């Protein structure tokens, strides 16, 4: 499969995801809400809550004290309400209504000093986990120049709808679901394809 500027075969992707699951159990449970994808969108899908902020800390968002009141007070209810909780990036064609709605919500959380792309992505992914990818410095390495904003979201969209990737991600999910019950990686069979992609993109960037 092609992820950003990198390539990885399904067997290697499975191996990498097994390792990720074995070493990030707290992230899968308290951030991703596994098993069962609990709390999709959070307890209030159209508003940022203290619960959301606590969950982002588990994945290393490293919020500062001054970030918290700002995030709780951002007036984005209209932008949240315009995007269904299960809206998928695969359906967000660049330039289309869903893509533009995604960027409008992204803009609401832009501009606060010290609250950059990584922190923002970890919050927005919680609120709309099928639409916003998580990003970090390693993912930005994997995606090169298309590493932020609309260009980044469009690049992820292209990878998600690439027919070869669609086939390989389906195979990947089938194999994850078939993992032994004792395997932590089995939980990853429940996550959105988008989450599998951003985990692999981070691992590929880290391996450079």
């Amino acid at each position: 499969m092609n992820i950003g500027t990198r390539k990885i075969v399904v067997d290697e992707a499975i191996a990498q995801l097994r390792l990720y699951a074995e070493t990030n159990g707290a992230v899968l449970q308290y951030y991703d809400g596994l098993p069962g994808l609990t709390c999709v969108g959070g307890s209030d899908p159209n508003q940022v809550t203290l619960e959301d902020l606590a969950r982002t800390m588990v994945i290393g968002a490293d919020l500062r004290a001054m970030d918290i009141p700002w995030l709780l007070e951002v007036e984005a209810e209209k932008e949240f309400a315009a995007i269904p909780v299960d809206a998928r990036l695969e359906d967000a064609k660049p330039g289309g209504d869903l893509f533009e709605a995604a960027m409008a919500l992204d803009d609401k959380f832009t501009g606060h000093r010290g609250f950059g792309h990584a922190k923002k992505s970890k919050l927005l992914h919680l609120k709309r986990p099928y639409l916003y990818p998580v990003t970090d410095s390693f993912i930005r390495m994997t995606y090169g120049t298309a590493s932020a904003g609309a260009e980044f979201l469009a690049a992820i969209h292209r990878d998600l709808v690439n027919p070869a990737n669609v086939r390989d991600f389906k195979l990947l999910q089938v194999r994850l679901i078939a993992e032994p019950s004792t395997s932590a990686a089995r939980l990853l069979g429940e996550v959105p394809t988008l989450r599998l992609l951003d985990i692999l993109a981070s691992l590929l960037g880290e391996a450079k």
Side-chain angles (χ1 to χ4, degrees), residues 51-141:
E51 170 198 320
D52 297 324
L53 301 184
R55 289 174 70 189
T56 66
M57 294 295 284
V58 179
I59 199 173
D62 194 24
L63 298 178
R64 303 167 305 163
M66 65 185 70
D67 295 332
I68 293 172
W70 178 77
L71 288 167
L72 294 174
E73 294 167 9
V74 170
E75 295 181 359
E77 290 84 358
K78 183 177 79 171
E79 287 77 12
F80 274 123
I83 303 172
V85 174
D86 59 354
R88 300 164 70 246
L89 184 52
E90 292 92 325
D91 300 324
K93 183 178 180 181
D97 290 345
L98 180 55
F99 190 92
E100 293 304 315
M103 291 313 304
L105 180 56
D106 182 278
D107 286 345
K108 280 287 182 175
F109 292 90
T110 299
H112 179 65
R113 185 176 180 182
F115 191 76
H117 297 299
K119 292 181 183 181
K120 178 170 60 174
S121 74
K122 289 166 183 173
L123 176 62
L124 291 179
H125 177 77
L126 272 186
K127 305 305 291 181
R128 297 296 184 270
Y130 300 90
L131 182 63
Y132 291 99
V134 173
T135 187
D136 59 22
S137 59
F138 296 125
I139 293 172
R140 290 194 289 274
M141 289 175 67

Side-chain angles (χ1 to χ4, degrees), residues 4-204:
T5 60
R6 311 296 175 81
K7 294 184 179 181
I8 187 171
V9 298
V10 171
D11 284 346
E12 178 61 21
I14 285 284
Q16 292 291 330
L17 291 170
R18 284 193 188 113
L19 181 60
Y20 180 88
E22 288 167 2
T23 55
N24 289 275
V27 171
L28 297 182
Q29 181 177 356
Y30 297 111
Y31 178 74
D32 291 294
L34 297 171
L37 277 180
T38 56
C39 296
V40 172
S43 55
D44 185 343
N46 293 333
Q47 184 171 315
V48 173
T49 66
L50 284 171
E51 170 198 320
D52 297 324
L53 301 184
R55 289 174 70 189
T56 66
M57 294 295 284
V58 179
I59 199 173
D62 194 24
L63 298 178
R64 303 167 305 163
M66 65 185 70
D67 295 332
I68 293 172
W70 178 77
L71 288 167
L72 294 174
E73 294 167 9
V74 170
E75 295 181 359
E77 290 84 358
K78 183 177 79 171
E79 287 77 12
F80 274 123
I83 303 172
V85 174
D86 59 354
R88 300 164 70 246
L89 184 52
E90 292 92 325
D91 300 324
K93 183 178 180 181
D97 290 345
L98 180 55
F99 190 92
E100 293 304 315
M103 291 313 304
L105 180 56
D106 182 278
D107 286 345
K108 280 287 182 175
F109 292 90
T110 299
H112 179 65
R113 185 176 180 182
F115 191 76
H117 297 299
K119 292 181 183 181
K120 178 170 60 174
S121 74
K122 289 166 183 173
L123 176 62
L124 291 179
H125 177 77
L126 272 186
K127 305 305 291 181
R128 297 296 184 270
Y130 300 90
L131 182 63
Y132 291 99
V134 173
T135 187
D136 59 22
S137 59
F138 296 125
I139 293 172
R140 290 194 289 274
M141 289 175 67
T142 297
Y143 276 88
T145 56
S147 62
E151 190 177 1
F152 175 62
L153 206 62
I156 300 283
H157 167 82
R158 287 193 297 273
D159 282 349
L160 287 172
V161 301
N162 177 320
N165 282 355
V166 171
R167 177 200 64 216
D168 286 346
F169 274 115
K170 284 181 179 177
L171 177 57
L172 196 59
Q173 287 168 321
V174 167
R175 290 185 57 178
L176 288 167
I177 291 168
E179 285 278 296
S181 59
T182 55
S183 171
R186 188 173 183 176
L187 292 173
L188 290 172
E190 302 180 29
V191 302
T193 302
L194 177 59
R195 182 76 171 107
L196 293 178
L197 184 150
D198 70 49
I199 291 171
L200 290 172
S202 182
L203 296 171
L204 288 167

